[in-house]
Amino acid sequence: MKKFTWKPHRSLLALTILSATGAVLAEPQIHHPSIAPQSISEALKALAAETHIQIFSDGDALKGKQTSGIQGDFTAKEALQKLLTGTGLTYTFTAEDAVAVKAAETGSNAASTLPAVTVLGQTIQDTTDPYNEDYRLTKVNTATKTNTPIMETPMSIKVVPRAVMDDQQIVLFDDAVIRNVSGVQRNFDFGDLYQGFIVRGFSLGANIYRDGLRQNTGYFEPAGMERVEVLKGAAAMLYGRTQPGGLVNYVTKKPLDKAHYSLQQQFGSYDLYRTTADATGPINDDKSLLYRLNIAYSSNNSFRDYNENERIYVAPSLTWRLSDQTEMTVQLEHQHDDYVMDFGIPAVGNRPAQVPKSFFVGDAAVNNSSMDSNQIATIISHRFNDHWKIEHKFNWHQWTHEFNSIFPAGNINADQQTINRALMTGPTDRESFATNLDISGEFKTFGAQHKLLIGADYFKLKTDTYDNHWTYGVIPALDIFNPNNHMLDANAVKAVPNDFWWQEKDQWYGVYAQDQITLWDKLHFLVEARYDILDYGTGCCSEPINIDDHEDNRLNPRFGIVYQPWKWLSLFGNYVESIGTNNGLTPTKTVNKPEIGTQYEVGFKTEFFDGRLSSNLAYYHLTKENMLTGVPGLPYRTSVGEARSQGIEFDLTGELTDYLSLLGTYAYTDAIFTKDNGFAPWGMASKQGNRLPNVPEHSGSLWLTFHPDDRFKIGAGMFAQGQRAGNDNNTYDLPGFVRVDAMVAYNWKIAGSKLITQFNVNNLLDKDYFRGSRVTDSSGALPGEPISFIGSLRLDY
């Protein structure tokens, strides 16, 4: 290797960041760096590790300089140029595999800084860039916690980036997932109380993750989300007690070191008004303190009678770069919702009743529930050197729900016209603490490359429902074909004595270790094990409450393999076990055993057109033991035995051309009850052989956008679901449907700012469909929205 030809001053630190052989700057080899905004010295170390080149630098010249980071597909030269943009630094080739970085000279002897290079392939923008319009991401953390390329990950994982949510004008978090990820449906729980999903046939319950930590029950505001990542199959190895179908994790917006401000006003059908604001940037000159503030306010009526909603959302955050190696982010979040619990339309015969979509089972006098959610989250990371890092996360979440609703007390009566109703009022408080500590590093042994992760986590959830009315027999029945929603007196309802109390606790301690082993750059192994100590219990229904407390310990393994014969093709397989969450009380008021999941999966992934278009095709076989179901007419659950889900899933994401973006999904899901314990004394029919509720055999989606220039964009798409069982007993079905959506947008550049106008139409063909149903009986299926419109004005500057 040649010596340096330039001579810096005597304080020069001639630091070799990484020495390697093989890859050279001059070769048009494509690398896939994912380097976050940070100090330029740390960024250059990361680039050297990724590209296997030697980078020498002047320590004083680098001091205090920051880079906005880089993510995408680049040659080493392109990546270096992008990292140094705006830093006042230049580079000089000293050998084929070595480069020197120094401060740019001034005057007549100044060197040419950052010369233009030819881009060989599709450049992918930084995922945190507010102007990022890419649909495809190459790396994610959710599957392994190690920012591994998706092509090297032996699991199926799908990412919904901010660009997709903006193009589709997502105002409900669940829409971002069910419209864009294969094999995922909406989980309609009691009164649509919280946002939840069904993945690979199995309900995730209230288990939503935020930046890798489990959340409490609730509705989540998409204005604060950077992207959503969905991991298919059991994920308990890294995340504790989760359902075996998969894991939905949303990544929050973090402070950026470049100032950016955005103000958006949306308006739409049924008096929808939604205002959002996003402001971020550095607080001081050296960019060691960064801030971000996200605000949202929305109000809307509904095509459903007596259904008005209002939300206030405020989420400030602060990042402190203590040094080039250490960073801490603190996030606060407050959300208040006034909304109406919606129990849908009851079934008559084998279909939801033929009543108007506006049908409401409640009463105008008892119709104003509310939710308050508060969170404090911290992320602290420290990089010891080029290869080893430690990270700690913490989240406190407090959620209060004030129930005030009338709900159906069972199925339609024998007259096939009236339905009995019950009263539900009073508070529920939930509080959770989640934290984890991860140490990760890279090293080589005997020619094998290792990515090692060692971690521990703790989660605790307390639920307290007190001074509630859960009262049957005092509310008049409703004629569903001639409903009278003004039968009650609010004062009379308040006079009903309190009659219901409920408490739950759920906590675990977990330790885990994971090793990702790479041989010959083509063969990737994943070996992982986790040990959990579980403590859980439930008690009800009158004071004083006695919690039935239980403890379980379990070791869960995960194994995976990826073979990459070529860069564009990965063949993968995995075997995973998992343990589920708190399982509630049986009718004898004892706690159910945890649900146990086992999964086998094989598939392949591809990247075409210089990596611009990626796909994932997988076959899986998943079983769930101690499968739970609700007991009709009672607030209890019991195990029905075992269920099995198997099928094929396909996801396609990226760009067909420079002007045409694509997102497509398809899922074939065969999900049935395979064993039945039988509980005739509680009025429960055998479920063996029944289909799992709300799970269509066939489902899919397609979304295309055409953007011939940087100002105009037009898009359209559809998502479809086949016929689904409406409940566990399969006594009625929800019909299949195809929904078509469309959008058009245009933006103007005004004095360095951008004004974006956009118009979306959802359910363009005005098709009737149902989002989901309550699975324990036939009391409610939630209709989907008819044709609706959303307009938007957004100013970015």
Side-chain angles (χ1 to χ4, degrees):
M1 187 180 69
K2 298 178 182 178
K3 295 183 179 180
F4 290 135
T5 56
W6 52 278
K7 299 182 181 297
H9 58 80
R10 60 184 180 181
S11 63
L12 170 67
L13 174 60
L15 172 65
T16 303
I17 300 179
L18 182 74
S19 60
T21 60
V24 295
L25 262 169
E27 293 178 345
Q29 180 181 354
I30 301 297
H31 301 278
H32 311 284
S34 178
I35 301 173
Q38 57 188 292
S39 68
I40 190 63
S41 60
E42 290 300 310
L44 290 174
K45 292 178 185 179
L47 179 64
E50 174 73 28
T51 59
H52 302 295
I53 62 174
Q54 296 183 76
I55 302 177
F56 297 88
S57 60
D58 181 344
D60 287 351
L62 303 187
K63 188 174 181 181
K65 295 187 181 297
Q66 301 285 322
T67 176
S68 58
I70 183 174
Q71 177 164 330
D73 301 342
F74 303 94
T75 65
K77 183 185 294 185
E78 294 165 4
L80 180 62
Q81 176 178 328
K82 187 169 178 64
L83 278 182
L84 297 182
T85 299
T87 64
L89 299 171
T90 186
Y91 62 85
T92 303
F93 298 106
T94 60
E96 287 185 335
D97 61 348
V99 65
V101 175
K102 64 175 182 176
E105 298 178 5
T106 60
S108 58
N109 295 323
S112 175
T113 64
L114 307 181
V117 296
T118 301
V119 177
L120 303 175
Q122 176 69 10
T123 298
I124 300 178
Q125 295 172 302
D126 180 0
T127 58
T128 64
D129 183 352
Y131 297 107
N132 182 5
E133 296 186 354
D134 294 311
Y135 277 15
R136 187 186 70 93
L137 300 182
T138 59
K139 293 185 178 182
V140 291
N141 282 312
T142 298
T144 62
K145 291 189 176 181
T146 58
N147 200 32
T148 300
I150 293 177
M151 291 291 286
E152 298 176 11
T153 302
M155 278 78 66
S156 295
I157 186 166
K158 180 64 180 291
V159 183
V160 183
R162 185 75 239 176
V164 173
M165 290 190 275
D166 288 341
D167 285 349
Q168 296 177 353
Q169 288 216 64
I170 296 297
V171 297
L172 292 175
F173 168 48
D174 44 276
D175 277 344
V177 181
I178 63 174
R179 292 170 62 175
N180 301 301
V181 184
S182 65
V184 179
Q185 289 80 42
R186 177 71 156 84
N187 184 41
F188 174 53
D189 199 78
F190 184 69
D192 208 23
L193 176 61
Y194 56 81
Q195 287 173 314
F197 302 96
I198 298 169
V199 182
R200 289 190 166 173
F202 294 116
S203 169
L204 306 187
N207 300 326
I208 304 297
Y209 280 70
R210 178 188 191 272
D211 290 331
L213 294 179
R214 180 175 164 180
Q215 290 293 277
N216 205 333
T217 304
Y219 267 71
F220 304 104
E221 170 56 49
M225 299 179 185
E226 194 68 63
R227 63 184 183 273
V228 182
E229 301 177 353
V230 180
L231 175 63
K232 308 289 191 67
M237 288 60 55
L238 292 179
Y239 298 100
R241 301 185 68 189
T242 62
Q243 295 297 328
L247 180 145
V248 177
N249 175 55
Y250 69 86
V251 179
T252 59
K253 293 179 178 179
K254 307 295 193 305
L256 304 178
D257 63 0
K258 290 184 177 180
H260 177 261
Y261 311 95
S262 178
L263 180 64
Q264 182 179 34
Q265 179 62 56
Q266 293 169 292
F267 46 89
S269 301
Y270 311 108
D271 296 324
L272 168 67
Y273 297 96
R274 182 171 184 260
T275 305
T276 60
D278 183 359
T280 187
I283 296 177
N284 52 3
D285 292 338
D286 66 1
K287 299 184 179 181
S288 61
L289 284 175
L290 315 174
Y291 82 95
R292 192 155 196 169
L293 176 64
N294 283 280
I295 298 173
Y297 171 80
S298 63
S299 67
N300 64 279
N301 294 323
S302 171
F303 68 100
R304 306 276 291 149
D305 287 342
Y306 307 100
N307 199 318
E308 298 180 2
N309 304 279
E310 185 178 39
R311 170 175 294 175
I312 300 171
Y313 171 84
V314 181
S317 58
L318 181 70
T319 294
W320 181 17
R321 294 170 170 170
L322 289 82
S323 69
D324 290 346
Q325 292 79 32
T326 307
E327 183 174 289
M328 178 174 68
T329 296
V330 179
Q331 299 172 303
L332 306 179
E333 183 179 300
H334 170 74
Q335 182 175 316
H336 173 82
D337 287 272
D338 290 316
Y339 85 117
V340 176
M341 296 186 70
D342 194 341
F343 296 88
I345 295 174
V348 174
N350 62 358
R351 283 288 192 272
Q354 295 296 310
V355 298
K357 284 184 284 189
S358 60
F359 170 83
F360 181 63
V361 77
D363 194 277
V366 187
N367 194 37
N368 53 342
S369 298
S370 66
M371 291 189 293
D372 280 283
S373 170
N374 297 289
Q375 297 196 58
I376 300 174
T378 61
I379 303 174
I380 304 173
S381 64
H382 175 76
R383 185 172 292 278
F384 297 105
N385 51 41
D386 298 353
H387 306 293
W388 288 92
K389 176 184 177 182
I390 186 170
E391 183 175 71
H392 173 258
K393 294 181 180 179
F394 171 81
N395 179 270
W396 169 80
H397 187 194
Q398 182 270 335
W399 178 86
T400 298
H401 190 120
E402 189 70 33
F403 294 103
N404 193 40
S405 185
I406 303 298
F407 65 94
N411 299 333
I412 199 81
N413 291 326
D415 60 11
Q416 300 293 290
Q417 183 167 340
T418 61
I419 190 167
N420 296 328
R421 301 182 297 170
L423 172 68
M424 178 177 58
T425 65
T428 288
D429 294 332
R430 292 178 183 247
E431 184 179 37
S432 68
F433 300 87
T435 187
N436 75 331
L437 181 68
D438 290 326
I439 299 175
S440 59
E442 299 181 3
F443 59 93
K444 288 185 178 180
T445 59
F446 305 107
Q449 181 69 42
H450 296 262
K451 280 186 179 181
L452 182 65
L453 173 73
I454 300 174
D457 58 28
Y458 171 74
F459 176 80
K460 182 177 182 179
L461 169 66
K462 297 187 298 181
T463 301
D464 188 10
T465 298
Y466 57 95
D467 296 340
N468 267 225
H469 301 129
W470 194 283
T471 309
Y472 295 78
V474 301
I475 305 299
L478 184 73
D479 184 340
I480 68 170
F481 297 107
N482 187 27
N484 180 358
N485 301 112
H486 297 272
M487 302 170 66
L488 303 181
D489 178 79
N491 292 325
V493 169
K494 292 178 182 178
V496 175
N498 298 330
D499 62 358
F500 186 76
W501 293 261
W502 180 284
Q503 289 184 1
E504 285 182 292
K505 74 170 187 177
D506 191 5
Q507 68 176 351
W508 73 68
Y509 306 85
V511 293
Y512 46 88
Q514 171 186 278
D515 192 9
Q516 296 170 260
I517 307 167
T518 299
L519 296 173
W520 310 297
D521 292 328
K522 294 181 180 294
L523 198 57
H524 310 277
F525 297 95
L526 183 145
V527 182
E528 183 181 355
R530 176 190 177 93
Y531 187 76
D532 279 302
I533 302 174
L534 316 172
D535 182 14
Y536 55 94
T538 305
C540 84
C541 295
S542 59
E543 294 188 300
I545 292 178
N546 180 31
I547 292 182
D548 184 25
D549 202 356
H550 286 256
E551 182 175 309
D552 282 306
N553 302 331
R554 181 175 172 85
L555 179 67
N556 289 307
R558 177 167 71 164
F559 305 101
I561 184 171
V562 176
Y563 174 58
Q564 277 187 282
W566 303 282
K567 284 293 184 181
W568 57 269
L569 176 65
S570 294
L571 309 175
F572 73 94
N574 64 66
Y575 170 79
V576 191
E577 295 180 6
S578 70
I579 188 168
T581 56
N582 189 313
N583 297 320
L585 290 180
T586 71
T588 59
K589 298 183 181 179
T590 58
V591 173
N592 289 288
K593 294 180 179 180
E595 297 170 309
I596 305 298
T598 304
Q599 174 181 279
Y600 303 86
E601 180 180 13
V602 294
F604 66 86
K605 307 178 185 189
T606 64
E607 285 187 342
F608 296 112
F609 308 136
D610 293 324
R612 296 185 310 187
L613 188 68
S614 62
S615 71
N616 188 109
L617 178 67
Y619 167 80
Y620 67 91
H621 180 94
L622 179 59
T623 58
K624 184 176 181 180
E625 300 176 29
N626 304 324
M627 177 75 175
L628 295 183
T629 186
V631 179
L634 296 172
Y636 305 112
R637 299 200 292 172
T638 188
S639 170
V640 296
E642 182 184 272
R644 180 265 296 150
S645 177
Q646 61 185 5
I648 297 172
E649 294 175 343
F650 178 69
D651 289 275
L652 182 66
T653 308
E655 294 190 357
L656 292 173
T657 71
D658 290 341
Y659 312 111
L660 189 62
S661 297
L662 165 71
L663 191 153
T665 74
Y666 169 75
Y668 166 75
T669 310
D670 175 21
I672 62 171
F673 293 99
T674 52
K675 294 181 182 178
D676 192 339
N677 294 332
F679 290 95
W682 299 330
M684 299 173 64
S686 173
K687 294 175 175 57
Q688 187 165 333
N690 286 359
R691 292 174 296 154
L692 295 188
N694 283 314
V695 181
E697 190 172 51
H698 299 278
S699 61
S701 66
L702 180 66
W703 178 259
L704 290 162
T705 59
F706 177 65
H707 38 94
D709 54 41
D710 60 357
R711 293 196 171 188
F712 177 73
K713 178 182 290 187
I714 188 170
M718 52 74 68
F719 81 95
Q721 295 183 359
Q723 182 173 282
R724 296 159 284 160
N727 58 19
D728 286 343
N729 291 325
N730 290 187
T731 58
Y732 81 104
D733 290 318
L734 305 179
F737 68 90
V738 177
R739 195 185 101 172
V740 177
D741 305 324
M743 63 83 66
V744 62
Y746 191 84
N747 70 78
W748 287 267
K749 296 179 180 179
I750 305 172
S753 302
K754 185 192 297 188
L755 178 64
I756 305 167
T757 60
Q758 186 170 329
F759 186 74
N760 288 62
V761 183
N762 294 327
N763 197 3
L764 180 64
L765 304 180
D766 200 22
K767 293 292 185 179
D768 293 336
Y769 69 99
F770 291 87
R771 292 171 65 86
S773 60
R774 190 180 181 197
V775 302
T776 58
D777 54 30
S778 304
S779 64
L782 187 65
E785 194 172 48
I787 184 171
S788 59
F789 310 92
I790 301 179
S792 169
L793 289 172
R794 191 179 88 198
L795 180 64
D796 288 349
Y797 57 98

